[in-house]
Amino acid sequence: MSFLPPQFSVFCSPDCDRTTFLQRWLTQNGLQFRTIPLNGRTHIMLQFPPSAYNPMFRTKTLLVHYDRADNTPGANDNSAAVYMVMEWAKRLMLRPGVHNMRIIFTDGEESCMPLSKGAEESQGALGLAMFFKKLGILHDDVYVMDSMGRGDVLVVSTAGKNSPGNLDFQKQFKAVFERACDLCRQTSPESWLTLPVPYSDNAGFLACGFPAVAITMLPRDEADVYIRQLQRDPSFEAEVMNRTVGSKLQDRASQLMLNERIPRTWRIEHTPLDNEMNLTPESFELTAKLLDNLADLVVMA
């Protein structure tokens, strides 16, 4: 498919060692990084020159997971977003001035989705959030990008709006959430939404008290059907947010019932159908623009 970047098929191939591939690609393209091994996971953080940062402005941390579910190409979940961020990082290296971006390719998102501080630390972002706390990194704006390769509607996840926390957390979350909405509005004024979205790396950071906001993408027809389902059934939002799509904790009948009511984009994730044929060129164009707008975003510290 002509719109896909070079070696994307290799990254999605079943025998690809994605940690090695990613580190090799970054090195070959002149991008410096450090690995952060935590709880059996290997996170990869890009390192930009000091001139790219100004302490007067808030640091923007972008999390994008590079692991995938077993026995799936993981083209949309989450190879497309990873590759788009990789290409964007090359542009950032040539970009003059300050961008205040902290980019981390995370590992372990496809394990359990923690919703509390007592959750299993094997979920990659939870361990990473704990690591941030130990280092005193407490005031970043945290954005998560997941499943960005299919569709034409940007979606800001509402996950976190009802998370437990003090007034300070609620205030911070509202601010980051509104900035995410502004970014999507700026990028695609007529084609963006706020919707409940199954947890991604935002789960681990929310569990540790970080106001993290996730952004994803859906085809317009799927988003419209999903909105109507949410309007018809007031309990459906909780059903989506409290159960991981494809979870083995559900019985088969319940899982099928839930799956039939959610967007097809989410139904094919964690299956062999999450392949290159289901990606769309407009998604890559929108995401590239969104990332450039994120780099331009300036927020006083």
Side-chain angles (χ1 to χ4, degrees), residues 105-119:
F105 298 99
T106 68
D107 186 15
E109 188 272 348
E110 296 294 359
S111 60
C112 65
M113 290 286 104
L115 303 180
S116 68
K117 292 183 180 179

Side-chain angles (χ1 to χ4, degrees), residues 22-76:
L22 183 53
Q23 293 183 74
R24 183 182 297 123
W25 190 98
L26 295 172
T27 300
Q28 290 173 346
N29 285 275
L31 292 163
Q32 296 185 353
F33 61 90
R34 62 167 290 195
T35 59
I36 306 174
L38 291 170
N39 305 315
R41 309 295 182 181
T42 302
H43 310 291
I44 300 171
M45 183 173 72
L46 297 189
Q47 294 182 304
F48 296 100
S51 59
Y53 300 90
N54 186 328
M56 291 179 58
F57 308 126
R58 293 179 73 90
T59 299
K60 297 160 289 184
T61 289
L62 177 64
L63 308 177
V64 53
H65 79 88
Y66 71 90
D67 62 313
R68 56 181 165 175
D70 293 339
N71 303 313
T72 170
N76 190 38

